[in-house]
Every structure is written in C-alpha cells, then in structure tokens.
Amino acid sequence: MSANSHAAHVRWVPMALVFVGGAAGVAGREGLALVIPNLGDISVAIPVINAVGAFLLGCLYEAITRTGSTPTGGKLKLLLGTGFCGGFTTYSSLATDTALYLRDSLPWAALIYALGTVLAGACSTWAGIAVASRISTRGPGGRNDSRRGASS
C-alpha cells in the first residue's frame, strides 16, 4: 500500500466523523424544535438550542484541553464539536429570525433577540467549561476527590 493511497483513506475518516456527528446534531435540533413551544410570535427553540449547543461545546473544549492533544481528542472534536454541535446549533436561524423582526418593524425585539441569544451562548460556553472543569477535578486523583482522607 503506497503512502498516497493511505493518505486518501485517512481523509475520509474526518469527513465521516463530521457527517455522522452532524446528522445526529441536526436530528437532535429538529426534535427539540418540535417540542419547545414559541412564546407568542417569539421563537424560543432556537435560542435554547444554541445555548445548549454552546454549553456542550464548552464541556467538550474543557475535556479535550485537559486530556491534551491526542488522536482520540482530534476525532472527538470532529465528531462532537464540528459535527454534532455544528449540526445542532443554528446561528443561521438566529440571523433569519432577527431579519424577520426587522422586516416586521420590531427593531428592539430584533436587537434583544440577537444580542440576548449571542450573550446566552457565550455564558453557556463559559458554564460548560466551568462544569467540565469542576467534574474533572472531582474525579480520581483530582483536587476535590472525596475518597481521599481528611489528612491530605
């Protein structure tokens, strides 16, 4: 097997990981969008989905950062980060919904909706990093491992 044929095969693996993760993410987004009701004319599903996706990305970022650069970490980034979270979140729908508020002469609703969703996403990412960091420090050998004796 030549190096060139091996390299071509290796390129399919990242694409397949993104494809599988993306398909699962899109399915998850659609499922949630169907069960989260609107508040009148205001779409609630999209901001909730984007915040959940940002939280998951924060958790993933922290987990992969703590494990270091490994082939498995790179594959998880593609499968879960680029694939699942990329398919799950939908900032294009956020942009479309914001444009519709502007079209309907609701500039304050558009501004609050757009900025609120982006701010919620940023806070959700930070929360995901914080939660994953806290979980990892409670595991075996972590700083807050409750199984260690009081004398340590």
Side-chain angles (χ1 to χ4, degrees), residues 24-34 46 49-50 86-90 93:
V26 168
R29 177 183 70 212
E30 184 62 22
L32 273 179
L34 291 172
I46 300 307
I49 288 166
N50 286 342
F88 185 71
T89 59
T90 175
S93 290

Side-chain angles (χ1 to χ4, degrees), residues 44-98:
V44 176
I46 300 307
V48 168
I49 288 166
N50 286 342
V52 168
F55 178 84
L56 293 173
L57 272 173
C59 290
L60 178 65
Y61 168 81
E62 178 63 23
I64 289 175
T65 299
R66 286 195 178 271
T67 61
S69 180
T70 65
T72 302
K75 289 177 182 173
L76 284 174
K77 281 184 201 177
L78 291 172
L79 177 68
L80 301 175
T82 305
F84 182 83
C85 289
F88 185 71
T89 59
T90 175
Y91 283 87
S92 59
S93 290
L94 165 67
T96 301
D97 290 346
T98 301

